[in-house]
Amino acid sequence: MSVNPVVIAGGGIGGLVTALTLHQIGVPCIVLEAAEEMRPLGVGINLQPNAVRELFDLGLDEAALDAVGVPVQEWALLGLNGCEVYAEPRGRKAGYGWPQFAVHRGDFHMLLYRTVLDRLGPEAVRLGARVTGYTIEDEGVRAHLEGGDSLTGSLLIGADGIHSRVRAQMHPDQPPIHWGGAVMWRGTVRAKPIRTGSSFVGLGTHRQRMVIYPISHMEADGTALINWIAEVTVDSTEGWTGEGWFRPVEVEHFVHHFDGFRYDWLDVPEMLRAADCAYENPMIDRDPIPTWVEGPVALMGDAAHAMYPTGSNGASQAVIDARTLGAKMLEHGVTPQALAAYDAQLCGPVSELVLRNRGAGPFGLLNLLDDRCGGVFDDIDDVIPEEERRAFMAGYKQAAGFAIEALNEAPATIPSGARVQSGRGR
């Protein structure tokens, strides 16, 4: 095997799962993270069953995930008048072999970080080390760091997010970050969960909606930590003119958009005003690129396929990327050929998923509802028949890689105990 480690640019969810995967198959690696300190940032995210399966195979069991989130029981869309458009069970209740988890992103990230340090040692993650570019060399690839330092690796994995420096070098003519006009405000609040007690709920229209779901188990008083996303769509012709990409704001800055979202089971303005935090950010992604690979350099996670969060599968896809990279190294060694095989399997289909999410993903049902009745109805079957609703959702799950039968029947991405054989590196 190659003497040089695999260099992973970025210590986010994708980069850390990549490190755990490479350690599992016996491939030395080092994570270079730009932040000076790892902190539990962000609010709620969803881990779909396909990603949870991979995390279980990494030894992050149900108890570990349960400590940073809660199994999702239901996914539901509700119209502007609060009436149900579509609902289905999720995770094991839907027939998957694995649960779906809604987790606090920061707590989950710190779980991964602690696990990497425990398994690979404290030297496996180098903080304050921002990768600014790379040079492909005979013995591998040299990663250049801010400040002038550099590090040679057998391969370089660009897991450095939507503003990836690795991607910018690989695709210097890429268009700027894409914003389609949706502005999101995100935060958490301690409140009583709605519907099943662990439901992911989308409420409103495609132009103005709420997403609400718990990311903790209920306490004795019946409350849980609730993740919420408030979203409106505005004119985007002048591009994003806000102050940065993610900033704290006061709830009064945006709560008026949701004054009409008052129901006998939920008062949305009241819930928002009780929030313990609120952050504003545009819903952004990047146009797909023809390849994620240049020789011994590969992109993964948001660096490869930043996507709208409408399908709740950005983090899940980063996990799948990491595991697929590991599987290809088992087949081809720690080589550019492994990266090429990874690219061939994922780049095309996931690029299509990016565009599908840009078109509202599973929330596209709300677009259809708005076209047909303006979001207000008495009987949803008179507007969108049940068969049409189910077919729409089945198509999305198939594209996103978590169709029930296909996932349950698929063999493990990385067989238990599999290791990259000595001599299969560069």
Side-chain angles (χ1 to χ4, degrees):
M1 191 182 295
S2 173
V3 174
N4 292 322
V6 172
V7 175
I8 302 168
I13 290 171
L16 294 178
V17 175
T18 301
L20 291 172
T21 296
L22 297 184
H23 177 260
Q24 180 187 25
I25 61 174
V27 176
C29 64
I30 183 170
V31 177
L32 304 179
E33 165 55 38
E36 298 286 345
E37 177 188 5
M38 286 290 202
R39 295 185 292 128
L41 303 176
V43 283
I45 59 172
N46 268 253
L47 299 172
Q48 301 291 350
N50 56 344
V52 172
R53 177 186 187 178
E54 301 297 342
L55 294 170
F56 282 8
D57 286 352
L58 268 174
L60 293 166
D61 61 16
E62 195 155 357
L65 296 182
D66 214 45
V68 297
V70 61
V72 179
Q73 296 183 36
E74 180 193 45
W75 192 91
L77 280 182
L78 310 181
L80 192 59
N81 58 356
C83 296
E84 184 178 296
V85 177
Y86 179 83
E88 66 179 18
R90 281 295 172 102
R92 289 198 178 105
K93 291 179 72 69
Y96 289 100
W98 305 268
Q100 175 177 330
F101 269 91
V103 301
H104 188 290
R105 186 215 172 272
D107 292 345
F108 175 61
H109 184 214
M110 295 306 290
L111 168 65
L112 294 174
Y113 181 51
R114 291 192 302 271
T115 305
V116 168
L117 297 186
D118 288 345
R119 296 183 185 178
L120 281 70
E123 71 286 350
V125 180
R126 182 173 163 187
L127 300 177
R130 184 186 300 277
V131 174
T132 59
Y134 60 87
T135 301
I136 297 174
E137 301 177 338
D138 290 341
E139 67 273 22
V141 57
R142 181 170 294 275
H144 301 288
L145 307 182
E146 201 167 67
D149 197 3
S150 65
L151 182 66
T152 297
S154 54
L155 303 173
L156 172 63
I157 308 300
D160 49 343
I162 192 169
H163 301 287
S164 170
R165 302 282 187 91
V166 178
R167 174 176 170 138
Q169 178 173 336
M170 187 182 295
H171 296 281
D173 298 324
Q174 67 176 339
I177 288 174
H178 171 266
W179 175 57
V183 181
M184 299 186 297
W185 297 275
R186 310 179 70 137
T188 56
V189 63
R190 184 152 290 278
K192 292 185 177 181
I194 56 179
R195 292 178 68 94
T196 66
S198 184
S199 293
F200 180 106
V201 176
L203 165 66
T205 73
H206 64 293
R207 291 186 302 273
Q208 184 178 1
R209 71 170 183 254
M210 294 292 305
V211 172
I212 306 163
Y213 57 90
I215 54 175
S216 78
H217 291 273
M218 281 192 288
E219 301 288 348
D221 63 358
T223 67
L225 189 63
I226 306 296
N227 182 82
W228 55 263
I229 304 169
E231 178 189 323
V232 298
T233 299
V234 299
D235 183 6
S236 61
T237 54
E238 295 184 4
W240 176 246
T241 58
E243 301 176 16
W245 299 101
F246 192 84
R247 68 184 184 109
V249 295
E250 296 296 325
V251 169
E252 294 303 324
H253 174 70
F254 62 89
V255 69
H256 61 279
H257 291 294
F258 303 92
D259 282 343
F261 284 53
R262 301 177 191 269
Y263 312 97
D264 56 6
W265 46 270
L266 178 67
D267 185 319
V268 169
E270 182 181 82
M271 179 192 73
L272 293 176
R273 288 190 169 99
D276 53 20
C277 61
Y279 300 94
E280 178 184 79
N281 61 295
M283 187 183 289
I284 53 178
D285 67 2
R286 280 198 180 276
D287 290 343
I289 45 181
T291 180
W292 299 345
V293 168
E294 182 185 5
V297 183
L299 305 173
M300 61 92 65
D302 281 353
H305 50 68
M307 63 181 76
Y308 284 4
T310 52
S312 300
N313 51 14
S316 296
Q317 187 58 52
V319 172
I320 300 303
D321 293 352
R323 303 295 285 168
T324 304
L325 278 167
K328 298 309 178 185
M329 289 187 200
L330 287 173
E331 293 178 28
H332 302 283
V334 187
T335 63
Q337 289 73 28
L339 303 188
Y342 154 80
D343 190 53
Q345 179 171 325
L346 291 185
C347 182
V350 178
S351 295
E352 292 177 5
L353 184 61
V354 169
L355 298 179
R356 188 182 285 251
N357 277 0
R358 186 180 289 183
F363 285 90
L365 274 177
L366 294 181
N367 299 31
L368 191 58
L369 182 72
D370 186 66
D371 289 342
R372 296 185 184 180
C373 70
V376 178
F377 56 91
D378 292 321
D379 187 341
I380 187 60
D381 289 331
D382 294 336
V383 183
I384 310 175
E386 180 179 3
E387 183 178 346
E388 185 178 1
R389 303 196 305 272
R390 293 195 177 281
F392 184 96
M393 287 303 302
Y396 184 82
K397 284 185 280 190
Q398 183 70 41
F402 53 95
I404 296 174
E405 294 80 6
L407 180 60
N408 285 349
E409 295 171 5
T413 304
I414 294 179
S416 177
R419 310 274 287 183
V420 172
Q421 297 177 8
S422 178
R424 297 198 69 192
R426 285 173 108 35

